[in-house]
Short mmCIF file of all heavy atoms in Angstrom, two decimals:
data_model
loop_
_atom_site.label_atom_id
_atom_site.label_comp_id
_atom_site.label_asym_id
_atom_site.label_seq_id
_atom_site.Cartn_x
_atom_site.Cartn_y
_atom_site.Cartn_z
N ARG I 168 -70.41 -93.40 175.91
CA ARG I 168 -70.49 -92.66 174.64
C ARG I 168 -69.31 -91.69 174.49
O ARG I 168 -68.92 -91.37 173.37
CB ARG I 168 -71.81 -91.89 174.56
CG ARG I 168 -73.00 -92.76 174.13
CD ARG I 168 -74.17 -91.89 173.71
NE ARG I 168 -74.74 -91.18 174.86
CZ ARG I 168 -75.75 -91.65 175.58
NH1 ARG I 168 -76.29 -92.82 175.29
NH2 ARG I 168 -76.21 -90.95 176.60
N LYS I 169 -68.77 -91.22 175.59
CA LYS I 169 -67.67 -90.25 175.54
C LYS I 169 -66.31 -90.90 175.35
O LYS I 169 -65.32 -90.21 175.10
CB LYS I 169 -67.66 -89.42 176.82
CG LYS I 169 -68.88 -88.51 176.97
CD LYS I 169 -68.82 -87.73 178.28
CE LYS I 169 -70.05 -86.84 178.44
NZ LYS I 169 -70.02 -86.09 179.72
N VAL I 170 -66.25 -92.21 175.47
CA VAL I 170 -64.97 -92.91 175.36
C VAL I 170 -64.59 -93.08 173.89
O VAL I 170 -65.42 -93.45 173.06
CB VAL I 170 -65.04 -94.29 176.05
CG1 VAL I 170 -63.75 -95.06 175.85
CG2 VAL I 170 -65.33 -94.12 177.52
N GLU I 171 -63.31 -92.80 173.58
CA GLU I 171 -62.85 -92.98 172.20
C GLU I 171 -62.88 -94.47 171.83
O GLU I 171 -62.63 -95.34 172.66
CB GLU I 171 -61.42 -92.45 172.04
CG GLU I 171 -61.24 -91.00 172.43
CD GLU I 171 -60.78 -90.86 173.86
OE1 GLU I 171 -60.90 -91.85 174.62
OE2 GLU I 171 -60.30 -89.77 174.24
N LYS I 172 -63.17 -94.73 170.56
CA LYS I 172 -63.26 -96.11 170.09
C LYS I 172 -61.97 -96.90 170.31
O LYS I 172 -62.03 -98.08 170.67
CB LYS I 172 -63.67 -96.13 168.62
CG LYS I 172 -65.14 -95.76 168.39
CD LYS I 172 -65.51 -95.91 166.93
CE LYS I 172 -66.98 -95.55 166.72
NZ LYS I 172 -67.38 -95.66 165.29
N PRO I 173 -60.79 -96.29 170.09
CA PRO I 173 -59.56 -97.07 170.34
C PRO I 173 -59.46 -97.56 171.78
O PRO I 173 -58.95 -98.66 172.03
CB PRO I 173 -58.45 -96.07 170.01
CG PRO I 173 -59.05 -95.15 169.01
CD PRO I 173 -60.47 -95.00 169.45
N LYS I 174 -59.95 -96.76 172.74
CA LYS I 174 -59.90 -97.21 174.13
C LYS I 174 -60.84 -98.40 174.36
O LYS I 174 -60.53 -99.30 175.14
CB LYS I 174 -60.27 -96.06 175.07
CG LYS I 174 -59.14 -95.06 175.30
CD LYS I 174 -59.46 -94.15 176.47
CE LYS I 174 -58.26 -93.28 176.81
NZ LYS I 174 -58.49 -92.45 178.01
N ILE I 175 -61.98 -98.36 173.70
CA ILE I 175 -62.91 -99.49 173.79
C ILE I 175 -62.24 -100.75 173.24
O ILE I 175 -62.36 -101.85 173.81
CB ILE I 175 -64.21 -99.20 173.03
CG1 ILE I 175 -64.95 -98.01 173.66
CG2 ILE I 175 -65.11 -100.43 173.01
CD1 ILE I 175 -65.47 -98.28 175.05
N VAL I 176 -61.53 -100.59 172.13
CA VAL I 176 -60.84 -101.73 171.53
C VAL I 176 -59.75 -102.24 172.46
O VAL I 176 -59.57 -103.46 172.64
CB VAL I 176 -60.24 -101.34 170.16
CG1 VAL I 176 -59.40 -102.48 169.59
CG2 VAL I 176 -61.35 -100.96 169.18
N LEU I 177 -59.00 -101.32 173.08
CA LEU I 177 -57.95 -101.72 174.02
C LEU I 177 -58.53 -102.53 175.18
O LEU I 177 -57.98 -103.57 175.56
CB LEU I 177 -57.23 -100.49 174.55
CG LEU I 177 -56.30 -99.75 173.59
CD1 LEU I 177 -55.79 -98.46 174.24
CD2 LEU I 177 -55.13 -100.62 173.18
N LEU I 178 -59.63 -102.03 175.73
CA LEU I 178 -60.26 -102.74 176.84
C LEU I 178 -60.78 -104.10 176.38
O LEU I 178 -60.66 -105.10 177.11
CB LEU I 178 -61.40 -101.91 177.43
CG LEU I 178 -62.10 -102.53 178.65
CD1 LEU I 178 -61.13 -102.71 179.79
CD2 LEU I 178 -63.28 -101.67 179.09
N ALA I 179 -61.33 -104.15 175.18
CA ALA I 179 -61.83 -105.42 174.65
C ALA I 179 -60.71 -106.45 174.51
O ALA I 179 -60.90 -107.64 174.80
CB ALA I 179 -62.52 -105.19 173.30
N ILE I 180 -59.54 -105.98 174.10
CA ILE I 180 -58.39 -106.88 173.98
C ILE I 180 -58.01 -107.44 175.35
O ILE I 180 -57.79 -108.66 175.50
CB ILE I 180 -57.18 -106.15 173.34
CG1 ILE I 180 -57.47 -105.83 171.88
CG2 ILE I 180 -55.91 -107.00 173.46
CD1 ILE I 180 -56.39 -104.97 171.21
N ILE I 181 -57.95 -106.58 176.35
CA ILE I 181 -57.58 -107.02 177.69
C ILE I 181 -58.63 -107.98 178.26
O ILE I 181 -58.29 -108.98 178.90
CB ILE I 181 -57.39 -105.81 178.63
CG1 ILE I 181 -56.23 -104.94 178.13
CG2 ILE I 181 -57.13 -106.27 180.06
CD1 ILE I 181 -54.92 -105.68 177.99
N ILE I 182 -59.89 -107.68 178.01
CA ILE I 182 -60.96 -108.57 178.49
C ILE I 182 -60.83 -109.94 177.83
O ILE I 182 -60.95 -110.98 178.49
CB ILE I 182 -62.35 -107.96 178.21
CG1 ILE I 182 -62.57 -106.71 179.05
CG2 ILE I 182 -63.45 -108.98 178.49
CD1 ILE I 182 -63.84 -105.96 178.71
N PHE I 183 -60.55 -109.94 176.53
CA PHE I 183 -60.43 -111.23 175.83
C PHE I 183 -59.21 -112.00 176.32
O PHE I 183 -59.27 -113.23 176.48
CB PHE I 183 -60.33 -111.00 174.32
CG PHE I 183 -60.26 -112.29 173.54
CD1 PHE I 183 -61.40 -113.05 173.33
CD2 PHE I 183 -59.05 -112.74 173.04
CE1 PHE I 183 -61.33 -114.24 172.63
CE2 PHE I 183 -58.97 -113.93 172.33
CZ PHE I 183 -60.12 -114.69 172.12
N VAL I 184 -58.11 -111.31 176.56
CA VAL I 184 -56.91 -111.98 177.09
C VAL I 184 -57.21 -112.57 178.46
O VAL I 184 -56.83 -113.72 178.75
CB VAL I 184 -55.73 -110.98 177.16
CG1 VAL I 184 -54.55 -111.59 177.92
CG2 VAL I 184 -55.29 -110.57 175.77
N SER I 185 -57.91 -111.81 179.29
CA SER I 185 -58.30 -112.32 180.62
C SER I 185 -59.24 -113.50 180.49
O SER I 185 -59.15 -114.47 181.25
CB SER I 185 -58.96 -111.20 181.42
OG SER I 185 -58.08 -110.10 181.60
N TYR I 186 -60.14 -113.42 179.54
CA TYR I 186 -61.07 -114.52 179.27
C TYR I 186 -60.30 -115.79 178.88
O TYR I 186 -60.61 -116.89 179.37
CB TYR I 186 -62.02 -114.11 178.15
CG TYR I 186 -62.79 -115.23 177.50
CD1 TYR I 186 -63.92 -115.77 178.11
CD2 TYR I 186 -62.39 -115.75 176.27
CE1 TYR I 186 -64.63 -116.79 177.51
CE2 TYR I 186 -63.09 -116.77 175.66
CZ TYR I 186 -64.21 -117.29 176.29
OH TYR I 186 -64.91 -118.31 175.69
N CYS I 187 -59.30 -115.64 178.03
CA CYS I 187 -58.50 -116.80 177.62
C CYS I 187 -57.75 -117.40 178.80
O CYS I 187 -57.65 -118.63 178.92
CB CYS I 187 -57.50 -116.38 176.53
SG CYS I 187 -58.27 -115.96 174.95
N ARG I 188 -57.23 -116.54 179.66
CA ARG I 188 -56.56 -117.04 180.86
C ARG I 188 -57.52 -117.83 181.74
O ARG I 188 -57.19 -118.92 182.23
CB ARG I 188 -55.99 -115.86 181.66
CG ARG I 188 -55.33 -116.26 182.98
CD ARG I 188 -55.13 -115.10 183.92
NE ARG I 188 -56.39 -114.54 184.37
CZ ARG I 188 -56.76 -113.27 184.16
NH1 ARG I 188 -55.98 -112.44 183.52
NH2 ARG I 188 -57.94 -112.85 184.61
N GLU I 189 -58.71 -117.29 181.93
CA GLU I 189 -59.69 -117.96 182.78
C GLU I 189 -60.17 -119.27 182.16
O GLU I 189 -60.44 -120.24 182.88
CB GLU I 189 -60.88 -117.04 183.04
CG GLU I 189 -60.54 -115.81 183.87
CD GLU I 189 -59.97 -116.17 185.23
OE1 GLU I 189 -60.41 -117.18 185.83
OE2 GLU I 189 -59.07 -115.45 185.70
N MET I 190 -60.27 -119.33 180.85
CA MET I 190 -60.64 -120.58 180.19
C MET I 190 -59.60 -121.66 180.48
O MET I 190 -59.96 -122.82 180.75
CB MET I 190 -60.76 -120.37 178.67
CG MET I 190 -62.05 -119.69 178.24
SD MET I 190 -63.54 -120.62 178.68
CE MET I 190 -63.29 -122.15 177.80
N MET I 191 -58.34 -121.28 180.44
CA MET I 191 -57.27 -122.23 180.75
C MET I 191 -57.37 -122.68 182.21
O MET I 191 -57.34 -123.89 182.51
CB MET I 191 -55.91 -121.58 180.50
CG MET I 191 -54.73 -122.41 180.95
SD MET I 191 -54.23 -123.63 179.76
CE MET I 191 -53.01 -122.67 178.87
N ASN I 192 -57.53 -121.73 183.12
CA ASN I 192 -57.56 -122.07 184.54
C ASN I 192 -58.77 -122.92 184.91
O ASN I 192 -58.66 -123.90 185.66
CB ASN I 192 -57.54 -120.79 185.39
CG ASN I 192 -56.18 -120.14 185.42
OD1 ASN I 192 -55.16 -120.78 185.16
ND2 ASN I 192 -56.14 -118.85 185.72
N ILE I 193 -59.94 -122.53 184.41
CA ILE I 193 -61.16 -123.29 184.73
C ILE I 193 -61.05 -124.72 184.21
O ILE I 193 -61.43 -125.68 184.89
CB ILE I 193 -62.40 -122.59 184.15
CG1 ILE I 193 -62.67 -121.27 184.87
CG2 ILE I 193 -63.63 -123.49 184.26
CD1 ILE I 193 -63.78 -120.45 184.26
N THR I 194 -60.52 -124.86 183.01
CA THR I 194 -60.37 -126.19 182.43
C THR I 194 -59.43 -127.05 183.26
O THR I 194 -59.72 -128.22 183.57
CB THR I 194 -59.85 -126.09 180.99
OG1 THR I 194 -60.76 -125.31 180.21
CG2 THR I 194 -59.72 -127.47 180.36
N LEU I 195 -58.30 -126.48 183.64
CA LEU I 195 -57.33 -127.23 184.44
C LEU I 195 -57.90 -127.59 185.81
O LEU I 195 -57.78 -128.74 186.26
CB LEU I 195 -56.05 -126.40 184.62
CG LEU I 195 -55.18 -126.21 183.37
CD1 LEU I 195 -54.00 -125.30 183.68
CD2 LEU I 195 -54.68 -127.55 182.84
N LEU I 196 -58.54 -126.64 186.46
CA LEU I 196 -59.03 -126.88 187.82
C LEU I 196 -60.28 -127.76 187.85
O LEU I 196 -60.63 -128.30 188.90
CB LEU I 196 -59.32 -125.55 188.52
CG LEU I 196 -58.09 -124.69 188.81
CD1 LEU I 196 -58.49 -123.35 189.41
CD2 LEU I 196 -57.14 -125.42 189.75
N THR I 197 -60.93 -127.92 186.71
CA THR I 197 -62.09 -128.80 186.64
C THR I 197 -61.70 -130.23 186.29
O THR I 197 -62.16 -131.19 186.92
CB THR I 197 -63.10 -128.28 185.60
OG1 THR I 197 -63.52 -126.97 185.96
CG2 THR I 197 -64.33 -129.19 185.54
N PHE I 198 -60.83 -130.38 185.31
CA PHE I 198 -60.52 -131.71 184.78
C PHE I 198 -59.29 -132.36 185.42
O PHE I 198 -59.24 -133.59 185.53
CB PHE I 198 -60.31 -131.64 183.27
CG PHE I 198 -61.57 -131.34 182.50
CD1 PHE I 198 -61.56 -130.46 181.43
CD2 PHE I 198 -62.77 -131.93 182.85
CE1 PHE I 198 -62.71 -130.17 180.73
CE2 PHE I 198 -63.93 -131.65 182.15
CZ PHE I 198 -63.91 -130.77 181.09
N MET I 199 -58.32 -131.57 185.85
CA MET I 199 -57.11 -132.18 186.40
C MET I 199 -57.35 -132.95 187.70
O MET I 199 -56.68 -133.96 187.94
CB MET I 199 -56.02 -131.13 186.59
CG MET I 199 -55.45 -130.59 185.29
SD MET I 199 -54.94 -131.87 184.11
CE MET I 199 -53.59 -132.64 185.01
N PRO I 200 -58.29 -132.52 188.57
CA PRO I 200 -58.59 -133.38 189.73
C PRO I 200 -59.05 -134.77 189.32
O PRO I 200 -58.68 -135.77 189.94
CB PRO I 200 -59.71 -132.62 190.46
CG PRO I 200 -59.52 -131.21 190.05
CD PRO I 200 -59.02 -131.25 188.64
N LEU I 201 -59.86 -134.84 188.26
CA LEU I 201 -60.34 -136.14 187.77
C LEU I 201 -59.18 -136.96 187.22
O LEU I 201 -59.10 -138.18 187.44
CB LEU I 201 -61.40 -135.92 186.68
CG LEU I 201 -62.65 -135.14 187.10
CD1 LEU I 201 -63.56 -134.92 185.90
CD2 LEU I 201 -63.40 -135.87 188.21
N TYR I 202 -58.28 -136.29 186.52
CA TYR I 202 -57.14 -137.00 185.94
C TYR I 202 -56.21 -137.52 187.04
O TYR I 202 -55.82 -138.70 187.04
CB TYR I 202 -56.36 -136.08 185.01
CG TYR I 202 -55.07 -136.69 184.51
CD1 TYR I 202 -55.08 -137.68 183.54
CD2 TYR I 202 -53.84 -136.28 185.03
CE1 TYR I 202 -53.90 -138.26 183.09
CE2 TYR I 202 -52.65 -136.84 184.59
CZ TYR I 202 -52.69 -137.83 183.62
OH TYR I 202 -51.52 -138.40 183.19
N PHE I 203 -55.87 -136.66 187.99
CA PHE I 203 -54.92 -137.06 189.04
C PHE I 203 -55.50 -138.12 189.96
O PHE I 203 -54.81 -139.07 190.34
CB PHE I 203 -54.49 -135.84 189.85
CG PHE I 203 -53.49 -134.96 189.15
CD1 PHE I 203 -53.66 -133.59 189.11
CD2 PHE I 203 -52.38 -135.51 188.53
CE1 PHE I 203 -52.74 -132.78 188.46
CE2 PHE I 203 -51.45 -134.71 187.87
CZ PHE I 203 -51.63 -133.33 187.84
N THR I 204 -56.78 -137.98 190.33
CA THR I 204 -57.39 -139.01 191.17
C THR I 204 -57.52 -140.32 190.40
O THR I 204 -57.42 -141.41 190.99
CB THR I 204 -58.77 -138.56 191.68
OG1 THR I 204 -59.58 -138.14 190.57
CG2 THR I 204 -58.63 -137.42 192.67
N GLY I 205 -57.73 -140.23 189.10
CA GLY I 205 -57.76 -141.43 188.27
C GLY I 205 -56.41 -142.12 188.19
O GLY I 205 -56.32 -143.32 187.93
#
Side-chain angles (χ1 to χ4, degrees):
R168 279 195 292 267
K169 293 179 181 179
V170 176
E171 303 95 343
K172 287 184 179 179
K174 281 193 173 184
I175 297 294
V176 175
L177 288 174
L178 183 61
I180 291 174
I181 297 304
I182 293 173
F183 182 77
V184 171
S185 300
Y186 164 80
C187 291
R188 177 196 65 239
E189 294 301 324
M190 282 299 299
M191 173 84 92
N192 285 339
I193 292 174
T194 301
L195 290 176
L196 293 176
T197 301
F198 291 138
M199 290 310 295
L201 301 176
Y202 173 75
F203 284 133
T204 53

